[in-house]
Amino acid sequence: MEIFFDIPALKSQLSFVHATVEISDRKTLINVLNFLITTGLNKSLCKVVKLCELVLTIPATSASVERSFSALKRINSFIRNSTSEDRLSNLALISIEKQLIKQLSENPKFYDDVIDKFAAIEDRRIDLKYYK
């Protein structure tokens, strides 16, 4: 912090801003910054202006990231709640054995065999089990 600001000068300027009613009554930081610029106080309170600009460029929260994770959590919860344990287990197995699946899929007839077996079943669910 001391690299970017002269701390004693910043403290002095901030106490002036806090003591000045016209500045401290502003509701938002952008209003304080606009007031300082329009009144010409930005030249004498340059450390405060620099601090305001820095604070205004940094996001105040990580709400957008948190919303993304919340959405992902809801999707995962929905998938878990709407998917049977057996299906989750099979999906995990496919994920774990992806190298084997890749090798099997290099056989041009592999997809046709899977589709034919799937089409022959009435309830459209098949056990994808691999036996050595």
Side-chain angles (χ1 to χ4, degrees):
M1 184 83 163
E2 212 166 303
I3 296 171
F4 299 108
F5 294 103
D6 177 12
I7 300 298
L10 179 63
K11 283 182 180 180
S12 172
Q13 290 180 15
L14 283 173
S15 32
F16 174 78
V17 166
H18 184 68
T20 308
V21 177
E22 293 87 10
I23 302 171
S24 61
D25 280 351
R26 305 291 167 176
K27 299 287 184 201
T28 63
L29 190 59
I30 191 74
N31 289 344
V32 171
L33 182 60
N34 287 336
F35 179 79
L36 293 175
I37 292 170
T38 56
T39 58
L41 288 172
N42 60 329
K43 292 177 178 65
S44 59
L45 297 172
C46 59
K47 305 295 184 202
V48 173
V49 170
K50 186 177 179 182
L51 179 64
C52 289
E53 290 171 343
L54 180 66
V55 170
L56 287 170
T57 58
I58 299 172
T61 65
S62 58
S64 61
V65 175
E66 290 172 10
R67 279 193 299 271
S68 298
F69 281 115
S70 293
L72 184 60
K73 185 178 176 184
R74 283 193 306 272
I75 291 168
N76 275 337
S77 296
F78 174 77
I79 289 172
R80 279 192 207 109
N81 292 338
S82 64
T83 304
S84 67
E85 290 296 319
D86 191 40
R87 183 162 186 229
L88 280 176
S89 177
N90 288 336
L91 289 172
L93 182 64
I94 288 171
S95 177
I96 293 167
E97 299 293 344
K98 61 185 166 194
Q99 287 296 333
L100 178 63
I101 299 291
K102 187 176 180 182
Q103 290 173 355
L104 289 171
S105 65
E106 289 173 359
N107 176 3
K109 198 163 170 3
F110 174 75
Y111 290 113
D112 292 334
D113 291 344
V114 171
I115 291 170
D116 290 343
K117 183 164 181 149
F118 185 74
I121 299 173
E122 285 185 28
D123 69 354
R124 300 286 191 250
R125 292 177 187 236
I126 59 171
D127 281 338
L128 298 174
K129 294 181 181 173
Y130 173 74
Y131 298 101
K132 285 188 178 185

